[in-house]
Amino acid sequence: MTDVAPPSPDTLTEKQSARRQRVIEAAFALAEEGGYDAVQMRDVAARADVALGTVYRYFSSKDQLLAAAWSRWRTQLERRLHGQPLQGATRAERVLDFLMRATRPLERRPKLAAALLISFASPDVYAAEHQREVASWMTRIVLEALDGLPVADQQDIREVLGHVWYSVLLAWVNERIDVSRMHELLATSCRLLLDDR
């Protein structure tokens, strides 16, 4: 890990942006194949066909790199959700629909899910920006489903649901619960928070 702040993606040239993207894609692939421990900066460099110094130029640590990969996953999912309104007759059903859409792609890639969740919990200051991007996206989508409730309630519900989602995903990747129990807990949390609204 380096103490030097990586450059902002907005300041990179087109070639630098392409190299940075290759590094993210390499980390994403390694995480999908072997989980958190499989993402070693030297292996990322080899997979991305760049020098090790290039990886560290754009990402100060593995956690920052994986947090960026998490942000990339979020962007891909948001594209898939775009133009597909949340389904359900009630707020609880619409919020659950979102949570299930966000969860299913991770269910298909448990090693990747574990790596991303570890990075999301990292105290790395350079990972924080990507962590905030993921959180703000979840806020935006869930708040659309909560339209009509008092603003303070919307924020509180979003925050509680975010903690529940992260917690059940973590329990699942650590094999403390199975997929069906994870779905049950997500549905229960939406029902308890929203059925009387």
Side-chain angles (χ1 to χ4, degrees):
M1 179 173 174
T2 175
D3 290 331
V4 178
S8 167
D10 300 336
T11 65
L12 302 179
T13 67
E14 189 174 327
K15 285 184 178 180
Q16 289 171 330
S17 290
R19 276 196 298 271
R20 182 181 183 276
Q21 188 58 35
R22 283 206 320 270
V23 168
I24 292 173
E25 288 168 2
F28 200 87
L30 287 167
E32 189 168 6
E33 292 165 12
Y36 184 81
D37 291 337
V39 184
Q40 301 298 321
M41 297 301 240
R42 191 171 300 282
D43 295 334
V44 170
R47 177 73 65 102
D49 195 25
V50 299
L52 181 59
T54 300
V55 176
Y56 279 109
R57 169 175 161 70
Y58 300 127
F59 302 100
S60 65
S61 70
K62 174 165 82 169
D63 285 335
Q64 188 202 8
L65 175 53
L66 282 169
W70 177 252
S71 185
R72 171 186 177 266
W73 170 87
R74 182 266 314 165
T75 301
Q76 291 174 334
L77 182 60
E78 190 164 10
R79 281 196 199 111
R80 287 197 296 273
L81 286 175
H82 185 68
Q84 298 177 18
L86 297 177
Q87 302 298 306
T90 66
R91 288 188 177 100
E93 290 172 356
R94 289 190 293 276
V95 171
L96 180 60
D97 182 52
F98 163 72
L99 291 173
M100 296 306 295
R101 290 191 204 183
T103 302
R104 285 190 185 108
L106 294 172
E107 290 172 21
R108 293 190 288 270
R109 300 162 164 168
K111 291 179 181 177
L112 173 65
L116 297 180
L117 286 163
I118 291 169
S119 76
F120 195 68
S122 170
D124 184 331
V125 10
Y126 299 123
E129 179 182 346
H130 301 294
Q131 293 163 346
R132 283 191 297 272
E133 285 174 7
V134 173
S136 68
W137 165 71
M138 287 190 68
T139 296
R140 187 168 64 252
I141 302 290
V142 172
L143 288 187
E144 288 174 13
L146 301 179
D147 190 42
L149 293 178
V151 173
D153 288 354
Q154 291 182 28
Q155 181 58 30
D156 289 344
I157 291 166
R158 200 284 316 158
E159 204 167 322
V160 169
L161 286 173
H163 287 299
V164 169
W165 186 64
Y166 176 78
S167 177
V168 298
L169 278 171
L170 202 57
W172 167 66
V173 298
N174 287 319
E175 300 181 349
R176 292 196 296 270
I177 61 173
D178 62 17
V179 168
S180 63
R181 181 58 178 156
M182 177 168 64
H183 293 178
E184 287 171 9
L185 290 169
L186 291 174
T188 298
S189 64
C190 290
R191 179 175 54 79
L192 291 174
L193 283 167
L194 291 164
D195 261 4
D196 62 348
R197 297 172 183 272

